[in-house]
Amino acid sequence: MKIAVLAGDGIGPEIVAEALKVLALFKSEGLDIETTAADVGGIAVDHHGDPLPEATLKLCQMSDAILFGSIGGPQYDTLPRELRPERGLLRLRKELDLFANLRPARVFPQLSGASTLKPEVVAGLDIMIVRELTGDIYFGHPRGIAVNAAGLRVGTNTMVYDEEEIRRVAHWGFQAARARRRELCSVDKMNVLEATQLWRDVVVEVSAEYPDVKLTHMLVDNAAMQLVRNPKQFDVIVTGNLFGDILSDEASMLTGSIGMLPSASLNAAGLGLFEPIHGSAPDIAGRGIANPLAQILSLAMMFQYSLRRADLAQRVERAVEGVLEQGLRTADIATKGETVSSTSEMGDAVVAALRA
Ligand code: NAD
């Protein structure tokens, strides 16, 4: 199995180093895995003048999975748009057609007090959001800012989906539900947006292939409200790019820390990019205090979805729960009075838990 490792910028290299300790352990146990590192984001701009160099893209195309850290930093914010680190990641998603974005939002029992919501609302929470990632209003045409006949500036974006784009991500939603509690909630705004009327129609058509999954529909405004009112009513949510962007960030806050949440972005061939949902955290980079657990849990998702080793994914998840149970906390998840561990102490503890 070939893994491309793109650590990126800021805390990316610090937390990827911890995930690689886990991989090294599995390798020592006999797992046949080969990792190759490459530049992406700001570091790639520094070294090659391009946030997604050709060699990095080629490596990713030839790999079974991509372990991605994070990209970006204030020193790149004044570059022309096509040279910005974020452009490298967007291009990678588009080039590899990574259309299905899976974001679990799970509250570990040991951290139910870390959310801004009441513990009884979030304790035991375990949601999966499946977001379409390569279509919708982010990519639709016409787009832009122009001056109309009356001399007024007009901003335009276009929400557009064809039925095949909806169908393929709907399958991911149903399959994710099938592997869990078999409940899928499709989120749209069909009462006012025709593009999402089509979304609903196609999801209903696809549901005929999954009679064992209970399908419900919810309008996005209600879904935003229900996610903070009673988030435990959801099992899997499937939705378009724009609504998924907003709802998945909302769901991440239910869990307390952005440093705990992994994600997977997959294409039809099963190739996936696995990354924490957070960014490069320039405010804490280089200090050895970042939480590496979202990165390590991203590795677990890689085992589950691209490498088809659910057994290893479960081992990693159990080890993470084990270290939380032991009371290990990085600064972002520590409450007052708790001892704070460094990034590498947390990574070492996960490896020790895996060995035990
Ligand atoms: P961020 O997610 O990097 O940080 C937000 C806050 O969360 C910061 O206070 C940070 O210290 C904290 N945080 C994030 N990850 C943490 C971790 N693992 N452990 C402990 N604390 C953590 O968001 P931002 O500050 O808005 O963005 C910083 C840079 O990251 C920007 O350049 C942005 O464009 C980029 N970004 C990249 C990605 C990506 O690589 N996919 C995603 C989002 C933002």
Side-chain angles (χ1 to χ4, degrees):
M1 291 184 286
K2 290 191 167 62
I3 312 297
V5 180
L6 314 187
D9 309 316
I11 60 169
E14 300 169 39
I15 55 179
V16 165
E18 303 310 312
L20 290 180
K21 287 179 185 169
V22 172
L23 266 186
L25 173 74
F26 288 147
K27 224 172 154 174
S28 75
E29 292 177 356
L31 184 71
D32 185 11
I33 207 155
E34 185 189 308
T35 56
T36 311
D39 289 337
V40 74
I43 183 110
V45 174
D46 293 343
H47 290 167
H48 317 278
D50 181 351
L52 181 63
E54 198 53 37
T56 301
L57 177 59
K58 276 223 169 72
L59 172 73
C60 293
Q61 284 165 332
M62 286 162 42
S63 298
D64 297 300
I66 303 154
L67 186 66
F68 195 96
S70 54
I71 46 149
Q75 67 273 45
Y76 305 109
D77 286 348
T78 50
L79 288 175
R81 217 157 260 285
E82 66 280 6
L83 285 183
R84 301 228 185 124
E86 294 74 12
R87 194 49 75 94
L89 179 55
L90 288 179
R91 261 176 54 209
L92 192 56
R93 286 175 179 161
K94 199 73 189 167
E95 293 277 355
L96 300 176
D97 201 17
L98 303 170
F99 67 87
N101 182 224
L102 274 55
R103 280 192 181 198
R106 179 170 167 220
V107 174
F108 287 89
Q110 303 81 0
L111 298 181
S112 54
S115 173
T116 49
L117 273 79
K118 290 182 189 141
E120 63 267 30
V121 175
V122 295
L125 181 78
D126 182 3
I127 308 178
M128 173 74 83
I129 296 189
V130 180
R131 166 189 169 194
E132 202 287 330
L133 202 58
T134 53
D136 205 347
I137 196 162
Y138 295 163
F139 295 93
H141 285 272
R143 64 186 300 156
I145 301 174
V147 178
N148 72 5
L152 295 174
R153 286 176 300 159
V154 179
T156 306
N157 290 94
T158 305
M159 177 176 271
V160 56
Y161 267 123
D162 71 44
E163 59 181 305
E164 192 42 45
E165 288 174 307
I166 302 168
R167 192 169 291 119
R168 62 184 190 169
V169 76
H171 278 291
W172 268 106
F174 282 104
Q175 278 161 24
R178 204 169 242 180
R180 296 164 45 99
R181 301 194 299 276
R182 296 175 185 260
E183 289 177 19
L184 179 66
C185 179
S186 171
V187 171
D188 60 43
K189 186 73 181 167
M190 59 77 86
N191 52 343
V192 282
L193 298 172
E194 286 81 356
T196 73
Q197 174 68 60
L198 180 67
W199 177 280
R200 189 175 290 206
D201 294 347
V202 174
V203 171
V204 169
E205 285 162 26
V206 173
S207 71
E209 295 177 49
Y210 300 89
D212 52 323
V213 175
K214 184 178 156 220
L215 172 66
T216 55
H217 304 274
M218 200 178 276
L219 298 177
V220 64
D221 40 351
N222 187 23
M225 191 261 281
Q226 295 297 336
L227 265 177
V228 286
R229 194 185 75 87
N230 175 20
K232 282 187 265 185
Q233 70 185 283
F234 296 107
D235 177 15
V236 179
I237 292 174
V238 65
T239 190
N241 204 347
L242 175 65
F243 300 159
D245 192 359
I246 298 164
L247 294 181
S248 58
D249 268 26
E250 187 188 1
S252 74
M253 273 321 296
L254 304 173
T255 69
S257 175
I258 200 169
M260 293 296 300
L261 293 179
S263 77
S265 305
L266 299 139
N267 71 13
L271 171 67
L273 182 148
F274 302 86
E275 59 173 334
I277 69 157
H278 59 71
S280 57
D283 54 333
I284 59 166
R287 291 165 54 194
I289 60 169
N291 185 348
L293 294 180
Q295 188 76 60
I296 290 171
L297 290 167
S298 299
L299 186 70
M301 289 192 88
M302 183 175 98
F303 283 124
Q304 170 111 30
Y305 290 99
S306 273
L307 307 184
R308 309 271 166 214
R309 289 294 305 263
D311 55 325
L312 296 182
Q314 275 164 19
R315 267 185 75 192
V316 173
E317 281 164 11
R318 274 202 302 270
V320 167
E321 268 186 52
V323 299
L324 293 173
E325 193 58 45
Q326 288 163 33
L328 268 95
R329 300 284 185 270
T330 42
D332 57 310
I333 51 173
T335 44
K336 224 172 158 199
E338 281 181 321
T339 310
V340 171
S341 297
S342 69
T343 307
S344 64
E345 283 166 348
M346 187 60 106
D348 291 342
V350 173
V351 172
L354 281 164
R355 277 215 177 91

